[in-house]
Amino acid sequence: MQTYPKAVGAYSAFRKAGDLIFISGQLGLDPQTNELVKGGVGEQTKQALNNIKAILKENGLEISQVVKTMVLLSDISDFAIMNEVYEKEFQAPFPARSAFAVKDLPKGAKVEIEAIAYKA
């Protein structure tokens, strides 16, 4: 059973480089259907983070080992809702993060999150 969505293009869901793992942008896709979860940016943020956690777990890592994230939002006014969900998944010290509003995201998604984790 696939625990995170498969890449839908010419890219990998993740790549390892030494003690680092680079996780490609994850949408709020249900890994079983490859469709966006129902709901808004909050639900999609939660699912995107669940997809990241599944990739980390497969590689013997945990969310606490994420050192950097980048969040892309289709509407910057969704930042507060995304941040509320995001805050519940991470603990201090929080990863470094950048967040941007973009014109569009694949599949009409409201949020996409990529991550870099460090295996110490």
Short mmCIF file of all heavy atoms in Angstrom, two decimals, residues 81-112:
data_model
loop_
_atom_site.label_atom_id
_atom_site.label_comp_id
_atom_site.label_asym_id
_atom_site.label_seq_id
_atom_site.Cartn_x
_atom_site.Cartn_y
_atom_site.Cartn_z
N ILE A 81 -4.34 30.13 8.18
CA ILE A 81 -4.92 28.79 8.35
C ILE A 81 -3.84 27.73 8.16
O ILE A 81 -3.73 26.79 8.95
CB ILE A 81 -6.08 28.57 7.36
CG1 ILE A 81 -7.22 29.55 7.65
CG2 ILE A 81 -6.59 27.13 7.41
CD1 ILE A 81 -8.26 29.62 6.57
N MET A 82 -3.03 27.88 7.11
CA MET A 82 -1.93 26.93 6.88
C MET A 82 -1.01 26.92 8.08
O MET A 82 -0.64 25.86 8.59
CB MET A 82 -1.15 27.34 5.61
CG MET A 82 0.10 26.53 5.32
SD MET A 82 1.58 26.94 6.29
CE MET A 82 1.88 28.64 5.85
N ASN A 83 -0.66 28.08 8.59
CA ASN A 83 0.28 28.18 9.69
C ASN A 83 -0.26 27.54 10.96
O ASN A 83 0.50 26.93 11.72
CB ASN A 83 0.64 29.65 9.95
CG ASN A 83 1.86 29.79 10.81
OD1 ASN A 83 2.92 29.27 10.50
ND2 ASN A 83 1.72 30.48 11.92
N GLU A 84 -1.54 27.65 11.18
CA GLU A 84 -2.17 27.04 12.36
C GLU A 84 -2.00 25.51 12.33
O GLU A 84 -1.65 24.89 13.34
CB GLU A 84 -3.65 27.40 12.41
CG GLU A 84 -4.37 26.93 13.65
CD GLU A 84 -5.81 27.37 13.66
OE1 GLU A 84 -6.08 28.56 13.38
OE2 GLU A 84 -6.68 26.52 13.94
N VAL A 85 -2.22 24.91 11.17
CA VAL A 85 -2.05 23.46 11.02
C VAL A 85 -0.57 23.10 11.11
O VAL A 85 -0.18 22.15 11.80
CB VAL A 85 -2.66 22.97 9.69
CG1 VAL A 85 -2.37 21.50 9.45
CG2 VAL A 85 -4.16 23.25 9.65
N TYR A 86 0.26 23.86 10.42
CA TYR A 86 1.70 23.63 10.36
C TYR A 86 2.30 23.64 11.77
O TYR A 86 3.09 22.76 12.13
CB TYR A 86 2.31 24.72 9.49
CG TYR A 86 3.79 24.66 9.26
CD1 TYR A 86 4.31 24.13 8.09
CD2 TYR A 86 4.69 25.18 10.20
CE1 TYR A 86 5.68 24.10 7.85
CE2 TYR A 86 6.06 25.14 9.97
CZ TYR A 86 6.55 24.60 8.80
OH TYR A 86 7.90 24.58 8.57
N GLU A 87 1.90 24.61 12.59
CA GLU A 87 2.42 24.74 13.96
C GLU A 87 2.16 23.51 14.81
O GLU A 87 2.94 23.19 15.70
CB GLU A 87 1.76 25.92 14.67
CG GLU A 87 2.42 27.24 14.47
CD GLU A 87 1.79 28.31 15.33
OE1 GLU A 87 0.55 28.45 15.30
OE2 GLU A 87 2.55 28.99 16.03
N LYS A 88 1.07 22.82 14.56
CA LYS A 88 0.71 21.63 15.34
C LYS A 88 1.58 20.43 14.99
O LYS A 88 1.68 19.49 15.76
CB LYS A 88 -0.77 21.29 15.13
CG LYS A 88 -1.70 22.31 15.73
CD LYS A 88 -3.14 22.00 15.42
CE LYS A 88 -4.05 23.10 15.95
NZ LYS A 88 -5.42 22.94 15.51
N GLU A 89 2.19 20.44 13.82
CA GLU A 89 3.00 19.31 13.36
C GLU A 89 4.47 19.41 13.76
O GLU A 89 5.16 18.41 13.82
CB GLU A 89 2.90 19.16 11.84
CG GLU A 89 1.49 18.85 11.36
CD GLU A 89 0.95 17.52 11.87
OE1 GLU A 89 1.73 16.55 11.99
OE2 GLU A 89 -0.26 17.46 12.15
N PHE A 90 4.95 20.61 14.01
CA PHE A 90 6.35 20.82 14.34
C PHE A 90 6.48 21.34 15.77
O PHE A 90 5.57 21.98 16.29
CB PHE A 90 6.98 21.84 13.38
CG PHE A 90 7.11 21.33 11.97
CD1 PHE A 90 6.18 21.69 11.01
CD2 PHE A 90 8.16 20.51 11.61
CE1 PHE A 90 6.30 21.22 9.71
CE2 PHE A 90 8.29 20.04 10.31
CZ PHE A 90 7.35 20.40 9.36
N GLN A 91 7.63 21.06 16.38
CA GLN A 91 7.93 21.57 17.70
C GLN A 91 9.22 22.38 17.63
O GLN A 91 10.03 22.19 16.71
CB GLN A 91 8.10 20.42 18.69
CG GLN A 91 6.84 19.61 18.90
CD GLN A 91 7.05 18.45 19.86
OE1 GLN A 91 8.13 18.23 20.37
NE2 GLN A 91 5.99 17.71 20.10
N ALA A 92 9.42 23.25 18.60
CA ALA A 92 10.65 24.04 18.66
C ALA A 92 11.84 23.11 18.85
O ALA A 92 11.71 22.10 19.56
CB ALA A 92 10.55 25.06 19.78
N PRO A 93 12.95 23.37 18.24
CA PRO A 93 13.15 24.47 17.31
C PRO A 93 12.51 24.15 15.96
O PRO A 93 12.73 23.09 15.38
CB PRO A 93 14.67 24.56 17.17
CG PRO A 93 15.14 23.15 17.42
CD PRO A 93 14.16 22.56 18.40
N PHE A 94 11.67 25.05 15.51
CA PHE A 94 10.98 24.87 14.24
C PHE A 94 11.96 24.88 13.08
O PHE A 94 13.01 25.51 13.16
CB PHE A 94 9.93 25.97 14.03
CG PHE A 94 8.83 25.95 15.05
CD1 PHE A 94 8.81 26.88 16.08
CD2 PHE A 94 7.82 25.01 14.99
CE1 PHE A 94 7.79 26.86 17.03
CE2 PHE A 94 6.81 24.98 15.92
CZ PHE A 94 6.79 25.91 16.95
N PRO A 95 11.62 24.21 11.97
CA PRO A 95 12.48 24.29 10.79
C PRO A 95 12.52 25.72 10.25
O PRO A 95 11.57 26.49 10.45
CB PRO A 95 11.79 23.38 9.77
CG PRO A 95 10.74 22.63 10.49
CD PRO A 95 10.43 23.38 11.74
N ALA A 96 13.61 26.05 9.59
CA ALA A 96 13.62 27.29 8.82
C ALA A 96 12.53 27.15 7.76
O ALA A 96 12.26 26.03 7.29
CB ALA A 96 14.99 27.50 8.17
N ARG A 97 11.88 28.26 7.40
CA ARG A 97 10.78 28.15 6.45
C ARG A 97 10.69 29.41 5.60
O ARG A 97 10.92 30.52 6.06
CB ARG A 97 9.45 27.96 7.20
CG ARG A 97 8.25 27.86 6.26
CD ARG A 97 6.96 27.68 6.99
NE ARG A 97 6.51 28.93 7.58
CZ ARG A 97 5.45 29.03 8.38
NH1 ARG A 97 4.73 27.98 8.69
NH2 ARG A 97 5.11 30.20 8.86
N SER A 98 10.32 29.20 4.36
CA SER A 98 9.92 30.30 3.49
C SER A 98 8.51 29.99 3.02
O SER A 98 8.12 28.83 2.96
CB SER A 98 10.89 30.48 2.32
OG SER A 98 11.05 29.27 1.62
N ALA A 99 7.75 31.03 2.72
CA ALA A 99 6.38 30.84 2.23
C ALA A 99 6.12 31.88 1.15
O ALA A 99 6.48 33.05 1.32
CB ALA A 99 5.37 30.98 3.37
N PHE A 100 5.50 31.44 0.09
CA PHE A 100 5.24 32.30 -1.06
C PHE A 100 3.83 32.08 -1.58
O PHE A 100 3.30 30.97 -1.52
CB PHE A 100 6.19 31.97 -2.23
CG PHE A 100 7.63 32.09 -1.90
CD1 PHE A 100 8.35 30.97 -1.49
CD2 PHE A 100 8.29 33.30 -1.99
CE1 PHE A 100 9.69 31.05 -1.19
CE2 PHE A 100 9.63 33.39 -1.69
CZ PHE A 100 10.34 32.27 -1.29
N ALA A 101 3.27 33.13 -2.12
CA ALA A 101 2.04 33.00 -2.90
C ALA A 101 2.46 32.81 -4.35
O ALA A 101 3.38 33.46 -4.83
CB ALA A 101 1.18 34.24 -2.76
N VAL A 102 1.82 31.88 -5.02
CA VAL A 102 2.10 31.61 -6.42
C VAL A 102 0.79 31.70 -7.21
O VAL A 102 -0.29 31.63 -6.63
CB VAL A 102 2.76 30.23 -6.62
CG1 VAL A 102 4.12 30.19 -5.95
CG2 VAL A 102 1.88 29.11 -6.10
N LYS A 103 0.90 31.85 -8.51
CA LYS A 103 -0.29 32.02 -9.33
C LYS A 103 -1.18 30.77 -9.30
O LYS A 103 -2.38 30.86 -9.08
CB LYS A 103 0.10 32.35 -10.76
CG LYS A 103 -1.07 32.63 -11.67
CD LYS A 103 -0.58 33.05 -13.04
CE LYS A 103 -1.72 33.35 -13.97
NZ LYS A 103 -2.51 32.20 -14.34
N ASP A 104 -0.59 29.61 -9.51
CA ASP A 104 -1.35 28.36 -9.55
C ASP A 104 -0.48 27.22 -9.03
O ASP A 104 0.75 27.28 -9.11
CB ASP A 104 -1.76 28.00 -10.99
CG ASP A 104 -2.77 28.96 -11.57
OD1 ASP A 104 -3.80 29.20 -10.91
OD2 ASP A 104 -2.53 29.46 -12.68
N LEU A 105 -1.13 26.18 -8.54
CA LEU A 105 -0.45 24.95 -8.13
C LEU A 105 -1.06 23.79 -8.90
O LEU A 105 -2.21 23.86 -9.34
CB LEU A 105 -0.61 24.73 -6.62
CG LEU A 105 0.17 25.72 -5.74
CD1 LEU A 105 -0.27 25.59 -4.29
CD2 LEU A 105 1.67 25.48 -5.88
N PRO A 106 -0.31 22.69 -9.05
CA PRO A 106 -0.84 21.53 -9.77
C PRO A 106 -2.16 21.04 -9.17
O PRO A 106 -2.38 21.12 -7.96
CB PRO A 106 0.26 20.47 -9.60
CG PRO A 106 1.51 21.26 -9.37
CD PRO A 106 1.06 22.47 -8.61
N LYS A 107 -3.02 20.55 -10.03
CA LYS A 107 -4.31 19.96 -9.66
C LYS A 107 -5.24 20.96 -8.96
O LYS A 107 -6.19 20.56 -8.31
CB LYS A 107 -4.12 18.71 -8.80
CG LYS A 107 -3.44 17.57 -9.52
CD LYS A 107 -3.48 16.30 -8.69
CE LYS A 107 -3.02 15.13 -9.49
NZ LYS A 107 -4.06 14.16 -9.73
N GLY A 108 -4.94 22.25 -9.07
CA GLY A 108 -5.77 23.24 -8.40
C GLY A 108 -5.59 23.27 -6.89
O GLY A 108 -6.45 23.77 -6.16
N ALA A 109 -4.46 22.75 -6.41
CA ALA A 109 -4.19 22.70 -4.97
C ALA A 109 -4.09 24.09 -4.38
O ALA A 109 -3.77 25.05 -5.07
CB ALA A 109 -2.90 21.92 -4.71
N LYS A 110 -4.35 24.17 -3.09
CA LYS A 110 -4.24 25.42 -2.36
C LYS A 110 -2.89 25.58 -1.69
O LYS A 110 -2.48 26.68 -1.36
CB LYS A 110 -5.35 25.51 -1.32
CG LYS A 110 -6.74 25.57 -1.93
CD LYS A 110 -7.81 25.68 -0.86
CE LYS A 110 -9.18 25.81 -1.47
NZ LYS A 110 -9.38 27.00 -2.25
N VAL A 111 -2.17 24.46 -1.47
CA VAL A 111 -0.88 24.49 -0.78
C VAL A 111 0.01 23.37 -1.29
O VAL A 111 -0.47 22.30 -1.67
CB VAL A 111 -1.07 24.40 0.76
CG1 VAL A 111 -1.69 23.07 1.16
CG2 VAL A 111 0.22 24.66 1.50
N GLU A 112 1.30 23.64 -1.32
CA GLU A 112 2.33 22.65 -1.63
C GLU A 112 3.47 22.89 -0.66
O GLU A 112 3.85 24.03 -0.40
CB GLU A 112 2.82 22.81 -3.07
CG GLU A 112 3.87 21.82 -3.47
CD GLU A 112 4.23 21.90 -4.95
OE1 GLU A 112 3.51 22.54 -5.73
OE2 GLU A 112 5.26 21.30 -5.32
#
